[in-house]
Amino acid sequence: MKIKDGYMLREVAGTPVAVAVGPAARGFNGMIRLNSSGAFLWRLLERGSAEAELAEECAARYGIGRTEAEEHVAAFLELLRKNGLIDE
């Protein structure tokens, strides 16, 4: 899965945010504020990553168990799906 074209990660006042640019901005007004782990996962999705890979990378980076990482990744992906930001 991958972040859809037209959506980018930017930093506003030290906070990572997802914003729409170009034609995508017509259908998506505003921004989504991310925490550091959300920004980390976003960057992995920019290059295209499967859900299992996201959980594995998250577990390794943050020193958490695989089950906990899978739960966090699932919640993050749900947010992105709800807002139409990923291609699967």
Side-chain angles (χ1 to χ4, degrees), residues 8-88:
M8 304 180 85
L9 182 65
R10 293 287 185 243
E11 193 168 303
V12 176
T15 301
V17 294
V19 297
V21 296
R26 283 185 239 138
F28 183 85
N29 296 319
M31 62 181 98
I32 297 174
R33 186 177 64 183
L34 303 174
N35 60 20
S36 61
S37 59
F40 172 72
L41 293 171
W42 181 280
R43 288 183 188 100
L44 292 174
L45 286 165
E46 285 180 324
R47 69 176 194 214
S49 296
E51 189 167 349
E53 180 185 357
L54 295 172
E56 182 179 315
E57 293 286 337
C58 185
R61 180 175 181 114
Y62 295 104
I64 59 176
R66 179 65 184 239
T67 301
E68 184 178 358
E70 288 170 350
E71 290 170 1
H72 289 296
V73 167
F76 181 69
L77 292 175
E78 183 58 31
L79 171 71
L80 297 182
R81 286 181 182 111
K82 177 180 162 187
N83 288 283
L85 302 181
I86 55 175
D87 282 326
E88 299 198 54

